[in-house]
Amino acid sequence: HGGAIPPEISNNLKQLNTKVTTLGNQVTELQQTVQTVSCSSDPCQNGGTCLNLLNSYHCLCPSSWAGANCASDVNECQTFEGTLQGCQNGATCVNSPGTFICQCSPEWSGNLCTVRYDDCRNGGQDLCVHGLCIDSDRVVSGQPKYQCICESGWEAPAGNPACVSDVDECNLPTKPCSSNPPVPCYNTQGSFYCGACPAGWQGNGYSCQDVDECLTNNGGCSTTPMVQCMNTMGSFHCGPCPPGYEGDGRTCTQSNICSSNNGGCHPLAICSSNPGSAFPLCTCPQGYTGNGYGPSGCTQISNICETNNPCVNGHCTSTTSGYICNCNPGWQGIHCDQNINECLSNPCQNGGTCTDSVNGFTCTCTAQWTGPFCQTQQQGTKKLVGVKQNFNKCHKKRDWR
Ligand SMILES: [Ca+2]
Ligand SMILES: [Ca+2]
Ligand SMILES: [Ca+2]
């Protein structure tokens, strides 16, 4: 063996080698072309899922990326605007590659600004102390905001929303305790209380009502004898003891009205109590007369008729109050000392002149007339001297008619 390779064969080999190399390059090229249209080249970016298709592929992109290979950012601020997936409650949306950020308004928090700050729960403590916490919308970011509705009896001091100041109810313009009658007010932390109603009043101290003492046992006023009980606001009083009794109205004792000043009777009168009357019985002693009351209540029965008869022309009769004069005919006056003028009735007729006398009168007639009253014309021509006549039984004018 050892013979040289014929040149024709050597040339064929060379040509074959070239062809194979060219074919290999073409295969590699072909492989590369095939790879770029399949998932084996891992074409989907940003976590996209690759699906192999015939001579092709498809990327399933996450929501925040888009494009054939999930290489372009989704602007969520635009796509989610006005939807529940976007920023809520007035937040400002800021887009960034692969995501977006919500810059919340002060009251809100959370990724999409959907969580309200409840400033009453923050800190886990009772922010209002003696009050009900009401959450408010934050105005400045990071600054909690709330208000306190204080329980009665508490208030929030200036500059502090918490209800930690006691209300001094006793110094309020409207007094909480009774003012008529006045009742003391006592302030306490968170409250107050009123003192008791004063005597004569009932109630809780916030208000007091008058006690009508007269409703029970006549208020303690006397019932034998009965005395009127008079109720007043906060008290009562007893009327006066009835006549014939003395005392303060609670106790009335039968008064011995005669014990002082002889009961108002005349000093000489006999005083005796008169049940049921404010006045005693006053009886003048023997020989005296009168109603017995007062300094002139008894007067001595007069014996003046015997000792010094005051009746000048009449008969004296003693009476309980003095004496009476029964005048003799022709006399009048209390003491029968006035002579009755019988001429006053002008009894003399025909121009006769009347002359008064005791219990009678005398007519002095003119020459032509005669008779006791000058009523008879003279017979003949003789002049008659006037005749004096006494008319003892006729001293009253009407007796002549
Ligand atoms: Ca984005
Ligand atoms: Ca108080
Ligand atoms: Ca009362």
Side-chain angles (χ1 to χ4, degrees):
H1 309 310
I5 298 172
E8 312 88 57
I9 292 175
S10 182
N11 280 340
N12 283 346
L13 281 175
K14 281 181 185 171
Q15 287 176 359
L16 272 177
N17 195 28
T18 302
K19 281 183 178 175
V20 166
T21 300
T22 302
L23 208 61
N25 288 342
Q26 286 177 334
V27 166
T28 300
E29 240 173 80
L30 200 64
Q31 273 182 328
Q32 284 175 345
T33 302
V34 166
Q35 274 176 349
T36 55
V37 295
S38 78
C39 290
S40 53
S41 63
D42 200 9
C44 300
Q45 301 173 33
N46 296 310
T49 303
C50 191
L51 296 178
N52 273 317
L53 303 176
L54 186 64
N55 221 14
S56 173
Y57 64 91
H58 180 72
C59 291
L60 292 175
C61 296
S63 61
S64 51
W65 293 94
N69 295 327
C70 306
S72 53
D73 172 56
V74 170
N75 186 349
E76 294 88 346
C77 293
Q78 283 181 355
T79 55
F80 292 161
E81 189 177 9
T83 72
L84 288 176
Q85 294 159 285
C87 298
Q88 305 294 311
N89 299 308
T92 302
C93 186
V94 178
N95 184 48
S96 65
T99 187
F100 66 102
I101 292 171
C102 297
Q103 293 174 342
C104 299
S105 54
E107 173 62 11
W108 299 90
S109 67
N111 289 337
L112 296 180
C113 306
T114 52
V115 181
R116 226 182 232 283
Y117 284 110
D118 185 350
D119 292 317
C120 288
R121 291 196 182 151
N122 289 349
Q125 59 176 350
D126 192 352
L127 296 171
C128 290
V129 189
H130 294 290
L132 177 66
C133 184
I134 306 290
D135 182 49
S136 303
D137 286 355
R138 292 187 179 192
V139 176
V140 180
S141 282
Q143 211 170 83
K145 196 149 185 268
Y146 59 93
Q147 65 185 73
C148 295
I149 308 294
C150 294
E151 298 165 8
S152 72
W154 294 95
E155 61 190 358
N160 182 354
C163 306
V164 292
S165 280
D166 169 59
V167 174
D168 185 355
E169 291 85 353
C170 297
N171 276 331
L172 292 178
T174 305
K175 303 299 177 199
C177 299
S178 168
S179 55
N180 180 30
V183 168
C185 178
Y186 301 99
N187 185 46
T188 63
Q189 289 294 303
S191 187
F192 71 99
Y193 63 93
C194 299
C197 292
W201 299 84
Q202 60 187 355
N204 54 14
Y206 294 82
S207 67
C208 300
Q209 298 82 41
D210 171 56
V211 175
D212 188 351
E213 295 86 352
C214 295
L215 294 178
T216 307
N217 193 27
N218 200 32
C221 300
S222 169
T223 52
T224 48
M226 182 57 75
V227 169
Q228 190 187 7
C229 176
M230 284 170 279
N231 183 47
T232 63
M233 295 307 278
S235 186
F236 74 102
H237 57 89
C238 298
C241 291
Y245 291 86
E246 58 192 8
D248 57 3
R250 295 172 176 262
T251 307
C252 295
T253 52
Q254 208 153 7
S255 51
N256 184 1
I257 200 167
C258 297
S259 61
S260 88
N261 192 31
N262 200 28
C265 297
H266 186 275
L268 295 174
I270 299 159
C271 178
S272 55
S273 67
N274 190 7
S277 167
F279 300 101
L281 275 176
C282 300
T283 309
C284 291
Q286 196 86 38
Y288 286 76
T289 188
N291 59 22
Y293 295 100
S296 58
C298 293
T299 50
Q300 198 166 14
I301 294 177
S302 176
N303 60 357
I304 193 170
C305 292
E306 285 75 41
T307 59
N308 185 17
N309 188 355
C311 304
V312 179
N313 294 289
H315 178 70
C316 182
T317 304
S318 291
T319 67
T320 53
S321 57
Y323 59 88
I324 291 177
C325 292
N326 291 307
C327 296
N328 295 331
W331 295 94
Q332 66 181 8
I334 294 172
H335 294 126
C336 306
D337 54 356
Q338 294 166 20
N339 184 1
I340 296 170
N341 183 1
E342 285 85 0
C343 288
L344 285 177
S345 59
N346 294 321
C348 300
Q349 301 170 26
N350 301 308
T353 303
C354 184
T355 304
D356 180 52
S357 62
V358 173
N359 195 28
F361 58 89
T362 302
C363 290
T364 303
C365 304
T366 58
Q368 289 82 17
W369 300 87
T370 188
F373 308 106
C374 306
Q375 78 279 25
T376 308
Q377 197 156 20
Q378 285 280 20
Q379 299 295 316
T381 59
K382 283 193 280 185
K383 288 185 178 178
L384 285 181
V385 179
V387 179
K388 289 187 179 177
Q389 294 276 354
N390 264 341
F391 297 95
N392 287 329
K393 294 178 184 174
C394 309
H395 62 279
K396 289 183 182 174
K397 179 184 174 186
R398 63 175 173 268
D399 288 344
W400 295 100
R401 301 222 168 142

